């Protein structure tokens, strides 16, 4: 338990008058310091001989071999921290999957598609008697989990967590090895999905009488003007005797004060059984409601009391709000009409891929909110919990989607786990049952499957509706689904649907954005760059889509495809395009022009955005269309102080002028309905002169979830961003903290997102098994070897294995200190050839350990090649560096330099 958590807990216990009780439950992050290496999807030899033993781990319990065995030596593996996405580290390859962004992994790349993770965990003897679980929030994908060589389970889904009971397999008072084999060979989606343990991992220790995971449902309902919080709490008794317990509930307000408490009836519970406590908390006060503008959260705490003993505590934030849907008037939150406006998003970001630190989740949502988003669809999979927590805090409505339609345990299990995990989030307003299921959407099977799934979902959670996003196939799913999701008005006739199914709610689950490469105004097929498209790949653009829904009261709202660009689906291009261009923001979150269109009509803030840029040498005298996105009433455009005329802004529209190009200053003066005026100019810039670094914040907590988002801008002498600059920026971080990744939003950039060290091993000499009959025989092993030939940036360590309790190692005549298991070698410390290594060890380990030993070598080299220095080109003047905090406190200094430009330095305090 962290100190902070202990402190919070004791505060709460005091507040609740429960001083003196000790809570045995602990939940700690298991994110740091995992050993990682790539295995192989089809060749066992390259997969560390895993599952090749005479008895496999499925034949005999505890027989996990290769890396799953405790005896495996992972010292030649890299160290990584979670969240981790190894797909980001893999190069691009034209043979890679188009939909996943041409990474050299997945189908056809067995050598980069399996990843292994190993972590040592010490479990004190005092934990004996507790229930101990490991939890992974999300691993992409098909992950086998082992503890101390025991196989504990597998989760095929890349989007749902897994929890495993480790209790009986642990070494109490000793070391334990958690091992995960991840197979990302197969794709679940048609978009970049990452690879590896890309969400948090946890170790949970509990009293044997505890809440079932995701087993507490906090369901606040309003009836006759007063609120009741209905609670359903599943408690399982893992004791070997029956237990009679009560559950004590407390509701805390945002200030942490207890505003309501309740004690359940006593439940007698037999050993091994589960019971559900149903408690209704009738509130005698009017709670502050959770809404988009004011997302007030309360906190519930539920304690299991076994006599005087507090055995488990569940706590979660929740909110009071009502949801209503009206087929003619759309969506109502707390009785007020709200047009749902937002976007769909996948879960990757430039630089880090799918391994998004918690504070980056929130940063991304804030970029969307800046253009007026109130909604987010988690297309097309269950999201990370921290994303939903951020939506709860920020007041964003979520359409939360399961991965695959179907009515079998595979599908129901995923849907059920999604609902149970996420039902307490006030932000979640709809369950998404599916997306564009072409095999069924327009036929009777689709209608049946939807009905069955919808009924199932309704039994799990009768407080929310379900939706399915439908593309071309109207007439199957669309006949029964509660909320018909329209994927693109260009492929549907929602007016007709509304007439034919007057009971049904209609929501634009996907709509075409103004597809564009950020900062590009002329199509360039070779570089795969797009100017703003009037008619995007699913027909239309932001303006057409928004006007359609804005004009129809029955349209509950619209979610554009997508908020952010994402890796994969680089439509309409193929390699070397590796990222989509549907986003209103690019992969870094830099806004494209349509951001300002939506911001104009989705927010009350004054917007005045003139484009394109005005650097067009060689096009003098040519007519160029200049556009304005704004919510002003009237605007007048000037070129070099000459008026080009004024125009009135149509509601939900934009303005355009044809301008004969000459370099200089374009200026627009906007006048709002209240008479206020604002000015915006776009000028022809000089050439690139200097770099500027701007961080979204310069103070981070010493926690790996904390990031600072740094914008790198290339400016001319007058301090204006050069809109065509492509300079290569060299980056250097020093002090504490680290660079997590870099990006620039160019959908066809094949530059690296990360620079990581390369670690590998090489056994030394020949190894013959000594006679196992006599365990006391000393092993004598001797070899001659040459110094390895490595580059200057590569460090070499000699690794030894503990072959016996008493071990003597002599290298070139010099005896190493007793107990030495690794020896860092200075350059030149070995002879070029003929080094002599002698190992004597006794006694020989017992049979079980020895089996693992045979997979090892008495000695090997570990090589670590330092990563290349960080660098990234700016794209149209901009790039992004994600700085991450580490647990150490201090100052992080980032320096950016480029040939011919004045460099810049930025510091971030980590405290
Ligand atoms: C939709 C689909 C999305 C994405 C998009 C690209 O049909 O639902 O996942 O593929 O097309 O245009």
């Amino acid at each position: 338990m962290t100190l902070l958590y202990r402190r919070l807990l004791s505060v709460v216990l005091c507040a609740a008058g429960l001083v003196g009780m000790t809570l045995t439950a602990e939940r700690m992050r298991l994110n740091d310091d995992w050993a990682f290496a790539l295995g192989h999807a089809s060749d066992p030899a390259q997969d560390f001989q895993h599952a090749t033993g005479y008895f496999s781990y499925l034949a005999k319990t505890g027989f996990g071999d290769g890396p799953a065995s405790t005896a495996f030596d992972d010292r030649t593996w890299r160290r990584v921290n979670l969240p981790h996405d190894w797909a980001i580290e893999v190069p691009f390859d034209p043979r890679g999957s188009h939909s996943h962004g041409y990474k050299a992994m997945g189908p056809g790349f067995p050598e980069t598609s399996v990843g292994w993770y190993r972590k040592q965990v010490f479990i004190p003897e005092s934990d004996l008697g507790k229930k101990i679980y490991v939890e992974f929030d999300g691993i992409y994908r098909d992950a086998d989990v082992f503890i101390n060589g025991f196989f504990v389970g597998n989760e095929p889904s890349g989007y749902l967590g897994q929890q495993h009971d480790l209790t009986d397999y642990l070494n109490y008072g000793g070391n334990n090895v958690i091992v995960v084999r991840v197979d990302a060979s197969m794709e679940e989606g048609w978009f970049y999905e990452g690879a590896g343990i890309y969400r948090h991992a946890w170790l949970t220790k509990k009293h044997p009488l505890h809440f079932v995971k995701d087993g507490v449902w906090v369901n606040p309902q309003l009836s006759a003007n007063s609120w009741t919080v209905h609670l359903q709490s599943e408690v399982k008794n893992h004791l070997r005797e029956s237990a009679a317990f009560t559950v004590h509930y407390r509701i805390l307000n945002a200030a942490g004060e207890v505003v309501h408490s309740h004690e359940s009836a006593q439940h007698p519970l037999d050993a091994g059984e589960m019971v559900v406590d149903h408690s209704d908390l009738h509130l005698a006060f009017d709670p502050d409601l959770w809404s988009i503008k004011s997302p007030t959260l309360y906190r519930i705490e539920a304690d299991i009391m076994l006599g005087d003993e507090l055995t488990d505590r569940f706590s979660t934030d929740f909110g009071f709000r009502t949801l209503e849907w009206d087929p003619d008037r759309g969506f109502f939150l707390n009785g007020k009409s709200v047009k749902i406006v937002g976007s769909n998003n996948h879960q990757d970001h430039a630089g880090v891929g799918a391994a998004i630190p918690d504070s980056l989740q929130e940063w991304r949502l804030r970029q969307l909110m800046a253009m007026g988003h109130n909604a987010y669809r988690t297309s097309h999979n269950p999201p990370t919990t921290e994303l939903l927590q951020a939506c709860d805090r920020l007041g964003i409505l979520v359409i939360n989607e399961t991965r695959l339609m179907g009515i079998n345990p595979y599908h129901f299990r995923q849907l059920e786990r999604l609902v149970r995990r996420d039902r307490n989030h006030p932000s979640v307003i709809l369950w998404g049952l599916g997306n564009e299921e072409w095999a069924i959407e327009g036929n009777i099977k689709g209608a049946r499957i939807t009905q069955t799934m919808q009924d199932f979902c309704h039994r799990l959670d009768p407080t929310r509706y379900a939706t399915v996003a439908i593309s071309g196939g109207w007439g199957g799913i669309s006949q029964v689904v509660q909320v018909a999701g329209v994927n693109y008005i260009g492929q549907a006739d929602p007016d007709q649907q509304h007439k034919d199914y007057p009971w049904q709610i209609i929501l634009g689950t996907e709509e075409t954005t103004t597809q564009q490469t950020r900062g590009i105004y002329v199509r360039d097929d070779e570089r795969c760059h797009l100017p703003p498209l009037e008619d995007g790949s699913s027909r239309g653009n932001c303006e057409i889509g928004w006007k359609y829904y804005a004009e129809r009261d029955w349209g509950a709202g619209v979610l554009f495809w997508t908020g952010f660009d994402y890796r994969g689906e680089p439509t309409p291009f193929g390699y070397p395009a590796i990222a989509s261009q549907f986003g209103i923001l690019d992969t870094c979150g830099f806004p494209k022009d349509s951001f300002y269109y939506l911001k104009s009509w989705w927010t009350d803030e004054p917007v005045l955005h003139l484009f394109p840029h005005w650097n067009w040498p060689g096009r003098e005298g040519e007519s160029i269309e200049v556009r304005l996105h704004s919510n002003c009433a009237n605007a007048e455009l000037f070129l070099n102080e000459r008026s080009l005329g004024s125009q009135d802004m149509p509601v939900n529209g934009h303005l355009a002028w044809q301008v004969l190009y000459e370099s200089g200053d374009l200026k627009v003066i906007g006048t709002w309905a209240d008479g206020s005026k604002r000015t915006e100019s776009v000028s022809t810039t000089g050439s690139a002169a200097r770099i500027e670094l701007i961080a979204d914040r310069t103070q981070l907590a010493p926690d790996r979830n904390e990031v600072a988002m740094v914008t790198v801008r290339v400016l001319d002498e007058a301090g204006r961003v050069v809109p065509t600059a492509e300079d290569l920026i060299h980056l250097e971080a020093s002090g504490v903290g680290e660079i997590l990744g870099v990006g620039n939003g160019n959908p066809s950039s094949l530059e690296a997102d990360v620079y990581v060290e390369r670690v590998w091993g090489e056994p030394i000499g020949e190894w013959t098994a000594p006679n196992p009959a006599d365990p006391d025989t000393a092993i004598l092993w001797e070899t001659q070897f040459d110094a390895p030939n490595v580059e200057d940036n590569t460090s070499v360590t000699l690794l030894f294995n503990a072959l016996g309790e008493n071990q003597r190692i002599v290298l070139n005549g010099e005896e190493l200190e007793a107990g030495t298991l690794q020896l860092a070698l200075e350059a030149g410390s070995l002879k070029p050839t003929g080094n002599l290594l002698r190992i004597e060890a006794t006694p020989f380990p017992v049979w079980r350990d020895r089996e693992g030993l045979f997979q090892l070598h008495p000695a090997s080299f570990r090589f670590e090649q330092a990563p290349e220095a960080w660098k990234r080109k700016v794209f149209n003047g901009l790039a992004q560096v994600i700085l991450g905090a580490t647990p150490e406190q201090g100052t992080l200094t980032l320096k950016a330099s480029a040939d011919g430009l004045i460099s810049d330095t930025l510091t971030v305090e980590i405290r």
Side-chain angles (χ1 to χ4, degrees):
M1 197 183 318
T2 64
L3 200 61
L4 181 66
Y5 183 48
R6 263 182 212 284
R7 219 174 281 150
L8 287 177
L9 185 62
S10 64
V11 170
V12 173
L13 289 174
C14 291
L18 300 171
V19 191
M21 279 156 209
T22 44
L23 176 69
T24 39
E26 275 180 74
R27 187 165 193 251
M28 38 209 164
R29 280 218 161 115
L30 215 53
N31 283 1
D32 288 0
D33 204 27
W34 287 76
F36 170 77
L38 290 176
H40 202 279
S42 55
D43 176 11
Q46 293 182 66
D47 202 32
F48 308 102
Q49 300 292 1
H50 174 60
T52 55
Y54 183 81
F55 293 108
S56 79
Y57 63 85
L58 296 180
K60 297 281 181 192
T61 195
F63 271 50
D65 58 1
S69 154
T70 49
F72 185 84
D73 187 0
D74 62 22
R75 288 175 298 169
T76 55
W77 290 13
R78 231 175 88 210
R79 303 289 132 173
V80 299
N81 298 308
L82 309 183
H84 177 237
D85 173 5
W86 88 73
I88 210 80
E89 301 165 2
V90 167
F92 298 100
D93 190 310
R95 294 168 303 143
S97 156
H98 172 86
S99 69
H100 282 57
Y102 293 101
K103 279 285 177 173
M105 60 164 301
F109 295 90
E111 66 285 357
T112 44
S113 296
V114 165
W116 284 92
Y117 294 84
R118 295 182 100 248
K119 180 164 175 64
Q120 311 275 339
V121 182
F122 177 79
I123 301 287
E125 218 161 319
S126 53
D127 279 347
L128 200 56
K130 293 179 189 164
K131 271 284 184 193
I132 302 187
Y133 301 93
V134 67
E135 290 169 20
F136 295 98
D137 289 347
I139 304 178
Y140 194 83
R141 72 175 289 281
D142 192 9
D144 290 334
V145 180
F146 300 85
I147 177 79
N148 295 335
F150 291 87
F151 172 64
V152 294
N154 166 282
E155 172 57 59
S157 162
Y159 299 100
L160 284 168
Q162 47 182 322
Q163 184 200 42
H164 302 291
D165 184 353
L166 307 182
T167 313
D168 293 350
Y169 308 108
L170 292 171
N171 304 317
Y172 293 88
N175 233 17
N176 296 273
V177 192
I178 300 172
V179 180
V180 186
R181 182 182 188 272
V182 184
D183 189 344
S185 307
M186 191 176 157
E187 301 179 343
E188 281 187 67
W190 53 98
F191 36 84
Y192 177 88
E193 303 187 276
I197 311 179
Y198 72 95
R199 295 181 185 170
H200 297 302
W202 308 86
L203 190 72
T204 307
K205 303 175 178 181
K206 284 185 176 280
H207 185 286
L209 181 71
H210 63 244
F211 293 111
V212 173
K213 183 167 167 58
D214 301 327
V216 180
W217 184 18
V218 187
N219 175 15
Q221 291 297 323
L222 178 66
S223 104
N225 287 331
S226 71
W227 284 90
T228 302
V229 181
H230 302 283
L231 283 143
Q232 271 182 38
S233 306
E234 297 170 2
V235 177
K236 174 116 197 225
N237 180 9
H238 294 274
L239 292 162
R240 299 195 56 229
E241 65 265 14
S242 58
F245 69 91
T246 51
V247 184
H248 293 196
Y249 297 99
R250 286 180 301 285
I251 297 174
L252 290 83
N253 63 15
E257 297 150 359
V258 176
V259 291
H260 189 95
S261 49
H262 171 86
E263 201 170 309
S264 78
Q266 200 182 54
H267 296 280
L269 185 57
D270 286 342
E273 295 298 318
M274 200 263 282
V275 73
V276 185
D277 172 64
H278 293 267
S279 283
D280 291 335
L281 280 57
H282 302 287
L283 303 194
F285 64 98
D286 284 336
D288 292 332
L289 299 184
W290 184 92
S291 67
I292 292 163
K293 290 241 156 60
S294 170
T296 306
L297 293 174
Y298 285 77
R299 191 157 186 82
I300 192 129
E301 291 184 345
D303 289 349
I304 301 177
M305 299 302 302
L306 181 62
D308 281 347
E309 194 185 0
L310 167 59
T311 70
D312 196 15
R313 167 166 301 163
F314 169 83
S315 65
T316 192
D317 289 339
F318 73 103
F320 294 90
R321 90 285 185 264
T322 61
L323 311 176
E324 284 158 77
W325 300 86
D326 184 303
D328 295 318
R329 295 181 305 146
F331 174 65
F332 290 77
L333 181 67
N334 301 323
K336 294 195 190 96
S337 167
V338 172
K339 197 80 160 180
I340 295 169
V341 292
S343 64
N344 290 264
N345 287 285
H346 288 312
Q347 50 173 24
D348 65 294
H349 192 90
V352 293
I356 298 193
D358 296 351
S359 62
L360 178 51
Q361 300 280 12
E362 179 164 331
W363 185 89
R364 282 168 59 88
L365 291 170
R366 286 189 184 279
Q367 310 314 301
L368 298 173
M369 287 170 79
M371 77 173 111
H373 267 54
N374 62 26
Y376 186 104
R377 176 167 173 240
T378 70
S379 47
H380 303 291
N381 48 261
T384 305
T385 293
E386 286 72 18
L387 175 95
L388 295 180
Q389 288 170 340
C391 290
D392 291 344
R393 287 195 303 272
L394 299 173
I396 294 181
L397 309 168
V398 178
I399 293 105
N400 194 351
E401 192 159 301
T402 191
R403 185 61 292 288
L404 194 68
M405 291 191 83
I407 57 158
N408 305 91
Y410 179 86
H411 317 93
F412 276 0
R413 196 184 67 101
Q414 292 202 9
L415 178 58
E416 179 172 4
R417 285 174 53 202
L418 172 70
V419 172
R420 282 172 60 89
R421 191 194 69 172
D422 295 345
R423 59 194 165 170
N424 294 336
H425 291 280
S427 55
V428 175
I429 59 162
L430 270 181
W431 299 114
L433 302 183
N435 179 71
E436 298 196 354
E437 289 289 4
W438 299 315
I440 58 168
E441 65 178 21
N443 58 42
I444 185 66
K445 289 179 188 156
R448 288 187 204 130
I449 291 170
T450 302
Q451 192 65 68
T452 307
M453 286 183 84
Q454 198 164 264
D455 291 347
F456 178 78
C457 193
H458 190 72
R459 284 197 295 277
L460 291 170
D461 176 12
T463 73
R464 293 175 178 93
Y465 278 177
T467 185
V468 178
I470 303 161
S471 46
W474 291 79
I477 290 174
S478 62
Q479 293 171 333
V480 300
V481 71
Q482 287 162 328
V483 178
V486 177
N487 272 15
Y488 308 103
I489 49 176
Q491 325 188 110
D493 186 351
D495 287 312
Q496 192 59 44
Q497 179 73 12
H498 178 57
K499 269 199 208 109
D500 294 347
Y501 298 87
W503 51 267
Q504 192 173 52
I505 315 298
I506 294 184
L507 173 67
T509 34
E510 287 182 29
E511 196 46 59
T512 315
T513 54
T514 305
Q515 232 182 305
Q516 181 195 4
T517 313
R518 183 208 15 106
I520 294 291
Y521 300 94
V522 178
R523 185 170 173 132
D524 182 340
D525 281 354
E526 206 169 308
R527 299 191 71 195
C528 314
H529 288 168
L530 291 174
L533 298 186
E534 291 300 309
D535 196 15
S537 74
S538 298
R539 283 181 250 166
N541 58 47
C542 273
E543 189 168 324
I544 294 174
W546 169 235
K547 279 183 173 161
Y548 185 91
Y549 285 98
E551 284 160 7
R552 287 162 175 80
D553 283 347
W554 51 260
V558 59
L559 297 118
F560 282 98
W561 186 269
T562 47
F564 286 80
D565 279 345
Y566 52 95
R567 288 150 196 279
E569 288 205 313
T571 322
F573 302 109
Y575 189 86
I578 48 91
S580 81
Q581 311 203 30
F582 302 114
I584 304 161
L585 304 150
D586 69 14
T587 50
C588 295
F590 296 131
K592 303 180 188 174
D593 298 303
S594 57
F595 174 93
Y596 300 96
Y597 168 78
L598 292 172
K599 182 169 180 157
S600 298
W601 306 113
W602 285 2
T603 76
D604 296 331
E605 289 170 50
V607 177
L608 200 59
H609 175 74
L610 203 57
F611 62 103
H613 64 72
W614 212 237
N615 282 25
W616 302 103
R619 290 182 63 184
E620 285 74 11
E622 251 182 63
S623 175
I624 293 181
E625 185 176 274
V626 172
R627 284 197 179 195
L628 179 71
H629 286 324
S630 174
N631 42 19
C632 64
N634 174 280
E636 184 171 4
L637 184 72
F638 300 84
L639 174 61
N640 293 330
E641 298 300 333
R642 293 190 311 274
S643 174
L644 301 180
S646 78
Q647 303 184 47
D648 290 339
M649 177 66 80
V651 173
N652 293 327
H654 70 272
L655 296 180
W657 290 262
Q658 289 299 328
V659 180
L660 296 182
Y661 179 70
E662 72 185 39
S663 66
D665 302 313
L666 270 179
K667 185 175 80 182
V668 66
I669 301 178
T671 308
W672 272 257
D674 64 1
S676 62
K677 286 184 190 297
R678 287 167 189 85
T679 305
E680 165 78 7
S681 348
V682 173
S683 303
T684 310
T685 72
S687 53
R690 66 183 178 93
I691 304 170
E692 184 185 38
L693 299 176
I694 306 169
D696 73 319
R697 53 193 184 137
T698 51
Q699 196 99 37
L700 300 178
D703 179 326
R704 287 196 196 280
N705 288 302
E706 291 264 299
V707 296
M709 305 299 286
V710 179
T711 301
V712 182
R713 311 201 311 167
V714 166
L715 310 178
D716 70 357
E717 266 177 357
R720 299 171 295 205
V721 173
V722 179
T724 50
E726 303 230 328
D727 302 79
L728 177 63
I729 310 291
H730 298 277
L731 299 158
E732 207 185 303
S734 54
V736 300
E738 58 192 351
I739 300 178
L740 291 182
V742 289
N744 62 16
N746 179 357
S748 54
S749 164
L750 303 180
E751 296 165 273
D753 293 274
V754 289
Y755 293 90
V756 297
E757 66 279 14
R758 190 162 91 84
V759 180
W760 72 104
E762 199 177 286
I764 300 176
E766 294 280 302
W767 167 240
T768 45
N771 175 11
D774 176 4
D776 291 330
T777 312
I779 305 175
L780 177 63
W781 183 77
E782 221 173 51
T783 194
Q784 289 207 4
F785 65 96
D786 297 345
N789 202 359
V790 292
E791 291 172 38
D792 287 349
N793 64 354
T794 304
S795 65
V796 185
T797 309
L798 252 180
L799 303 178
F800 305 100
N801 275 303
L803 303 178
E805 274 164 38
N806 309 308
Q807 181 157 303
R808 253 189 99 225
I809 305 176
V810 184
L811 176 61
N812 288 336
E814 252 181 66
E815 180 165 350
L816 306 185
E817 202 183 311
T820 301
L821 288 182
Q822 61 185 59
L823 183 69
L825 297 175
E826 300 284 310
S829 65
L830 291 179
K831 297 189 274 182
T833 56
N835 295 283
L836 197 69
L837 178 64
R838 179 185 163 93
I839 303 178
E840 295 164 16
T842 182
F844 197 69
V846 293
W847 187 83
R848 281 290 300 125
D849 298 341
R850 210 167 56 222
E851 200 197 27
L853 272 185
F854 287 139
Q855 300 164 1
L856 306 177
H857 293 265
S860 48
F861 284 123
R862 175 187 196 273
F863 301 108
E864 178 163 343
Q865 186 172 39
E868 260 182 67
W870 287 85
K871 55 179 181 287
R872 187 78 183 199
K873 277 186 176 173
V874 287
F875 176 59
N876 294 334
L878 305 177
Q880 182 171 68
V881 183
I882 305 177
L883 296 178
T886 48
E888 299 80 43
Q889 306 211 2
T891 304
L892 167 56
T893 304
L894 178 69
K895 186 175 173 204
S897 55
D899 279 356
L901 302 188
I902 299 170
S903 40
D904 195 19
T905 301
L906 173 106
T907 58
V908 174
E909 292 303 320
I910 302 179
R911 324 228 160 253

